[in-house]
Amino acid sequence: MPRTPDETRYEFDESDVVVSGEKDRAAGVPAVLVSLQRGVEQMGAVRTARTLLRLNQRHGFDCPGCAWPETPGHRKHAEFCENGAKAVAEEATVRRVGPEFFARHPVADLLGRTEYWLGQQGRLTHPMVLRPGATHYEPISWESAFDLIADELRGLDSPDAAAFYTSGRTSNEAAFLYQLLIRSFGTNNMPDCSNMCHESSGTALTESIGIGKGSVSVPDLEHADLILIAGQNPGTNHPRMLSVLEKAKANGARVIAINPLPEAGLLRFKDPQKVHGVVGDGVAIADDLLQIRIGGDQALFQGLAKLLLEAEDRHPGTVLDRDFLDRHCAGFDAYADHIRAVDLETVVAATGLPIETIQGTAQALITSERTIVCWAMGLTQHTHGVATIQDATSLLLMRGMIGKPGAGVCPVRGHSNVQGDRTMGIWEKPPESFLAALDTEFGIHAPRGHGYDAVEAIRAMRDGRIGVFMAMGGNFVSATPDTEVTETALRRCALTVQVSTKLNRSHLVTGRTALILPSLGRTDKDLTGGRKQVVTVEDSMSVVHLSRGGLKPPGPQVRSEVAIVCGLARALFGPQHPVPWDEFEADYDRIRDAIARVVPGFTDFNTRVRRPDGFVLPHPPRDERRFATHTGKANFVVNDLHWLPVPEGRLILQTLRSHDQYNTTIYGLDDRYRGVKGGRRVVFCHPDDITALGFAAGDRVDLISEWTATDDTVEERTAEDFMLVAYPTPRGNAAAYYPETNPLVPLDHVARRSNTPVSKAVTIRLQRR
Ligand SMILES: Nc1nc2c(c(=O)[nH]1)N[C@H]1C(S)=C(S)[C@@H](COP(=O)(O)OP(=O)(O)OC[C@H]3O[C@@H](n4cnc5c(=O)[nH]c(N)nc54)[C@H](O)[C@@H]3O)O[C@H]1N2
Ligand SMILES: Nc1nc2c(c(=O)[nH]1)N[C@H]1C(S)=C(S)[C@@H](COP(=O)(O)OP(=O)(O)OC[C@H]3O[C@@H](n4cnc5c(=O)[nH]c(N)nc54)[C@H](O)[C@@H]3O)O[C@H]1N2
Ligand SMILES: [Mo]
């Protein structure tokens, strides 16, 4: 089919890529201009102004971008960042994908388009069905869609032959009802984006301190005197964190970045909302950049612990917080024995850092009175991610740096409500207490067996054990590893259902029958049940607050996620079901009343969430130094040291985000901070590696990943046509964008204990094209 100019606008050729060298500062005026420009492109000037003014305001909506909290008390009139504005523009766009679009484009044609093109077509407006053997999606009524799903679900041999995915934008109310529907149906198969994201943090922290969430608040960060930021790129992914870091620095904090890349936002930040951010050079954020080798962090944390122990030996009573260790911790002696045996030469080899740098960092830890460690995907998406996070936590525990102001652990979450969804029970391994509370409240019998996480769900589909796959948001096909395996797996399902705001590849790689159910997003006005409904979310620091969308929805057919869950529940369970689905749909306050009775910490939910800044959920280690672990204390966990030597002629590749995307949603083709324009198929390598491997910058290569499977066979996977870009990454390391590189990540290469795909350490070789 011939393509109109508008249709080809979002396709590109790698010859368009321009590389201009990385930037050493983030935000500033270009950030303001880009956010306004993207807004006006997608929704026109008036809607842009109206929308951005409501973003992150008390009477507005929560930014659908990242999970970074609002600063309590004093919100600025423009409490958003460039990338938050892009996330909003993407959702509040006035472009539409309706029945005519699907009539024009056969699925086969859409399969040939890029994620970028698909995302740019606009908001979904009608429920659509792809019938077995059909070439096109066609419209379907909501009631027929619900009946179709209900029939398929009822026809399964067992409820465990269905899997229900959740991405992290779903509100607390929708997530609570969704898990209630799934458990009423009879399964815990609830893979979610968290499985690919901060699962390692949750697993590590639960064992170490008894709760899988961070222990600090924004004021803690502002008053810390030492902040370590490991494996995180806040300039792009959590830009509002930079203003908090700026404040911490003004209060005298030292910031140490631990990252293989000199990320722009970590080096310098120009707050676009302040005068000195508009003129001048901006503020240096990181005092030190520890340019660590990929996967070297566990070695760093263990090496630092060893240096701390040695300093304590030299000057007893000056380094360890003995009182804290005696009263609140378990396992210190075994941990100390293990750490004393760590070989510092291994630490230097693993990290690639000079010993003096590591010693300097140890000294900073020793003199600090209030230390915080922040981290994100650079730590979690590794085979030894759980161990690394536990070793970082132990470093803090040694010095009593938890449960006091200005100190603690800070896993910086991704999706804006990923933490809340987990609190609401989106979890394949729910605790008995939660299930028992559901049973009591609703008179159902929630299943007790553990369900599938994301990787297990793909295996189950691959092996023909799943008949129905449903997704509440997200883009499962593109976000998960091993694209070819995952696509084949999804195609084996009888039915795939996507509840979505925008078109993506997961609508095109489907089961025999497929449904697209269009839903409201965070910015849309929700008039379900004929009244103005509000929803709630929980940010990265356990603050629960309201979000009310104000924009006219993309079309009269589009329903809220709550209404979609309730509609499906009615079709599946009939009118006699003990859960009051109709009442919940009519008034979300009723959902919150139920949540208050089921989920700990939500007493008086409806009242407290209407306070100006919402309320903070309990966090025993932070609030009272209470650690609900199996020992009843904070645990020092002994973890064998793991790091990543680079095999001869190979590189260790990390897959990461550009400045112009939100996960699989591509906003544009520029990575301004890394100096790349007009394309995404680039691979960043050290210039000496490029030469040593026999290439030149600008060459086009295929990336071939090598993975030794459990039966010792070496499997190869290929991602074609990347341009080599010389970049200051450590020798032996490389970086390229996700999701283009997901075909390289083996399904079975997962983090120990958290089962998170290892997206930050793929062994590759380069092959000339
Ligand atoms: N604009 C925007 N905002 C987002 C997102 C987005 O796509 N776009 N995604 C959201 C989501 S879901 C998430 S989870 C977060 C992700 O936020 P980040 O974790 O910041 O995202 P990544 O781009 O994966 O960046 C990983 C960082 O870790 C570094 N790194 C890689 N490997 C290692 C390592 O072995 N050790 C160390 N120390 N560092 C390493 C990389 O160089 C990079 O700076 O952002 C959220 N916010
Ligand atoms: N190689 C590699 N793979 C990775 C990662 C990596 O760093 N490297 N990161 C991993 C991480 S951290 C994460 S969190 C996952 C992300 O995985 P997902 O959460 O599955 O992916 P997203 O790209 O965020 O999903 C985007 C889609 O969500 C839908 N959507 C957006 N807003 C809403 C809403 O309000 N309601 C509904 N119903 N739908 C909505 C839109 O249709 C959009 O196309 O990817 C993981 N995959
Ligand atoms: Mo994430």
Side-chain angles (χ1 to χ4, degrees):
M1 177 180 300
R3 297 181 181 184
T4 65
D6 196 48
E7 287 171 357
T8 50
R9 194 170 145 209
Y10 300 102
E11 288 167 0
F12 60 95
D13 187 305
E14 284 323 302
S15 54
D16 295 339
V17 180
V18 180
V19 180
S20 65
E22 68 282 2
K23 300 282 179 294
D24 67 353
R25 66 202 55 178
V29 171
V32 180
L33 294 179
V34 170
S35 44
L36 291 179
Q37 178 201 333
R38 291 291 163 76
V40 173
E41 262 172 38
Q42 296 279 355
M43 50 179 163
V46 176
R47 196 166 154 105
T48 300
R50 201 182 313 140
T51 310
L52 293 182
L53 286 175
R54 290 176 58 90
L55 178 50
N56 290 334
Q57 299 301 310
R58 280 184 187 140
H59 299 289
F61 57 90
D62 180 64
C63 181
C66 72
W68 188 257
E70 277 68 60
T71 303
H74 41 85
R75 293 190 193 187
K76 286 181 280 192
H77 204 48
E79 179 74 33
F80 64 90
C81 65
E82 172 189 350
N83 277 348
K86 287 185 199 163
V88 167
E90 198 65 27
E91 186 175 293
T93 180
V94 293
R95 299 178 194 155
R96 298 288 176 259
V97 171
E100 323 69 51
F101 174 92
F102 287 106
R104 217 164 50 236
H105 296 284
V107 171
D109 165 56
L110 296 174
L111 266 170
R113 311 291 185 145
T114 62
E115 279 292 355
Y116 182 39
W117 186 90
L118 295 172
Q120 292 302 320
Q121 301 313 302
R123 287 286 298 273
L124 295 158
T125 56
H126 286 70
M128 303 294 299
V129 62
L130 183 66
R131 309 233 178 238
T135 53
H136 291 69
Y137 270 97
E138 56 189 89
I140 182 172
S141 73
W142 278 104
E143 300 322 310
S144 308
F146 292 143
D147 286 341
L148 198 162
I149 305 171
D151 283 347
E152 282 290 346
L153 286 173
R154 279 192 297 255
L156 296 172
D157 289 341
S158 139
D160 288 328
F164 298 85
Y165 178 67
T166 315
S167 169
R169 278 198 191 171
T170 297
S171 66
N172 288 333
E173 291 73 13
F176 184 77
L177 292 192
Y178 187 47
Q179 64 82 33
L180 184 58
L181 173 136
I182 298 163
R183 294 199 166 104
S184 299
F185 174 63
T187 183
N188 282 314
N189 285 342
M190 280 178 229
D192 71 344
C193 71
S194 193
N195 298 145
M196 299 177 272
C197 184
H198 266 291
E199 198 67 55
S200 300
S201 307
T203 306
L205 292 176
T206 301
E207 196 186 354
S208 292
I209 62 167
I211 178 168
K213 300 181 181 182
S215 74
V216 304
S217 63
V218 168
D220 284 327
L221 270 166
E222 289 174 351
H223 294 102
D225 64 25
L226 178 65
I227 303 170
L228 268 49
I229 303 176
Q232 192 202 344
N233 178 20
T236 286
N237 297 316
H238 308 93
R240 283 178 301 117
M241 179 177 176
L242 297 185
S243 351
V244 175
L245 292 174
E246 188 183 8
K247 201 148 174 204
K249 294 216 41 129
N251 291 335
R254 175 165 172 186
V255 176
I256 300 181
I258 304 166
N259 202 304
L261 304 180
E263 303 284 27
L266 291 170
L267 301 186
R268 250 172 202 290
F269 168 55
K270 295 175 77 173
D271 188 340
Q273 298 174 6
K274 289 200 183 140
V275 174
H276 74 246
V278 179
V279 292
D281 268 354
V283 182
I285 295 289
D287 297 85
D288 313 271
L289 169 65
L290 273 50
Q291 219 181 338
I292 196 163
R293 295 188 40 220
I294 291 176
D297 305 81
Q298 196 197 356
L300 176 66
F301 295 133
Q302 292 204 354
L304 290 168
K306 181 179 172 109
L307 294 173
L308 260 55
L309 288 177
E310 289 177 356
E312 172 75 9
D313 292 345
R314 285 194 300 276
H315 305 285
T318 58
V319 178
L320 299 180
D321 184 338
R322 276 285 169 201
D323 183 53
F324 181 80
L325 292 177
D326 292 344
R327 276 214 257 169
H328 298 295
C329 299
F332 177 69
D333 292 340
Y335 167 79
D337 287 348
H338 175 72
I339 292 296
R340 284 181 196 283
V342 167
D343 170 24
L344 286 179
E345 277 179 30
T346 307
V347 172
V348 167
T351 58
L353 300 171
I355 187 69
E356 298 75 27
T357 304
I358 301 172
Q359 284 162 339
T361 306
Q363 199 51 41
L365 285 164
I366 290 168
T367 50
S368 163
E369 285 169 10
R370 295 175 305 281
T371 313
I372 291 176
V373 183
C374 305
W375 70 87
M377 298 303 101
L379 297 198
T380 62
Q381 296 174 334
H382 276 296
T383 336
H384 50 308
V386 175
T388 303
I389 292 158
Q390 290 186 328
D391 280 321
T393 307
S394 294
L395 205 52
L396 291 170
L397 291 176
M398 282 168 88
R399 307 216 350 99
M401 291 293 174
I402 194 159
K404 68 174 195 180
V409 287
C410 183
V412 184
R413 302 277 159 180
H415 269 300
S416 51
N417 198 38
V418 60
Q419 187 160 317
D421 289 349
R422 192 50 76 79
T423 307
M424 291 299 120
I426 301 293
W427 198 8
E428 74 283 357
K429 301 194 249 317
E432 172 57 29
S433 55
F434 183 85
L435 298 175
L438 282 182
D439 289 356
T440 308
E441 170 71 18
F442 297 108
I444 60 167
H445 186 72
R448 268 25 187 199
H450 286 179
Y452 299 135
D453 63 18
V455 165
E456 289 161 348
I458 297 168
R459 290 187 187 131
M461 286 188 261
R462 177 196 64 193
D463 300 342
R465 283 178 279 134
I466 294 286
V468 176
F469 174 83
M470 174 164 177
M472 187 58 72
N475 183 359
F476 191 79
V477 167
S478 291
T480 49
D482 230 346
T483 311
E484 218 179 290
V485 175
T486 302
E487 294 198 345
T488 313
L490 275 158
R491 289 189 198 280
R492 288 201 67 178
C493 295
L495 173 68
T496 49
V497 182
Q498 302 284 334
V499 178
S500 312
T501 52
K502 310 264 309 249
L503 192 63
N504 63 47
R505 192 164 170 86
S506 296
H507 302 117
L508 311 173
V509 179
T510 67
R512 276 192 301 287
T513 303
L515 284 166
I516 299 176
L517 305 180
S519 86
L520 297 178
R522 202 66 65 68
T523 52
D524 301 316
K525 191 178 286 175
D526 183 350
L527 294 174
T528 303
R531 69 173 81 191
K532 263 194 202 167
Q533 306 279 5
V534 294
V535 295
T536 64
V537 292
E538 173 185 344
D539 67 31
S540 208
M541 294 179 177
S542 307
V543 180
V544 181
H545 60 90
L546 283 182
S547 174
R548 10 175 125 75
L551 296 179
K552 191 169 167 230
Q557 289 255 13
V558 180
R559 293 196 183 176
S560 74
E561 291 180 346
V562 166
I564 294 170
V565 172
C566 293
L568 175 56
R570 274 191 296 269
L572 186 58
F573 304 128
Q576 299 307 324
H577 199 252
V579 178
W581 300 104
D582 291 335
E583 288 175 30
F584 285 158
E585 183 175 354
D587 183 356
Y588 297 2
D589 274 356
R590 301 297 300 273
I591 310 174
R592 284 183 283 271
D593 287 338
I595 293 172
R597 290 188 292 269
V598 170
V599 187
F602 283 83
T603 321
D604 251 349
F605 190 6
N606 272 308
T607 314
R608 288 196 298 152
V609 83
R610 288 184 165 85
R611 291 181 191 155
D613 287 313
F615 63 97
V616 186
L617 289 172
H619 189 287
R622 178 198 66 207
D623 303 335
E624 41 181 327
R625 289 196 158 177
R626 193 162 58 74
F627 301 92
T629 64
H630 67 281
T631 61
K633 297 195 163 189
N635 290 316
F636 281 92
V637 184
V638 171
N639 287 298
D640 287 337
L641 179 56
H642 190 95
W643 61 290
L644 305 175
V646 184
E648 182 65 31
R650 308 292 186 270
L651 298 168
I652 309 279
L653 172 82
Q654 59 150 320
T655 63
L656 81 182
R657 294 157 173 79
S658 85
H659 191 62
D660 227 359
Q661 72 184 85
Y662 193 92
N663 298 337
T664 69
T665 299
I666 311 303
Y667 300 144
L669 303 176
D670 302 342
D671 193 353
R672 204 169 74 242
Y673 294 166
R674 300 199 185 99
V676 172
K677 254 180 109 73
R680 294 179 44 89
R681 298 189 82 88
V682 292
V683 55
F684 301 99
C685 302
H686 192 285
D688 296 347
D689 281 328
I690 296 182
T691 316
L693 295 169
F695 295 94
D699 282 357
R700 306 270 282 267
V701 295
D702 292 340
L703 308 182
I704 299 172
S705 76
E706 298 175 355
W707 156 251
T708 310
T710 35
D711 62 0
D712 276 344
T713 51
V714 177
E715 297 176 1
E716 295 196 346
R717 293 169 173 78
T718 305
E720 289 183 357
D721 201 7
F722 286 74
M723 189 173 105
L724 281 169
V725 174
Y727 204 80
T729 182
R731 285 295 305 265
N733 289 173
Y737 301 132
Y738 133 72
E740 286 80 353
T741 45
N742 287 43
L744 298 172
V745 182
L747 185 63
D748 291 336
H749 195 196
V750 289
R752 282 188 286 265
R753 295 190 276 157
S754 67
N755 223 26
T756 295
V758 177
S759 305
K760 294 291 188 273
V762 188
T763 305
I764 55 160
R765 63 171 200 272
L766 308 178
Q767 184 168 285
R768 192 177 299 282
R769 284 183 67 79

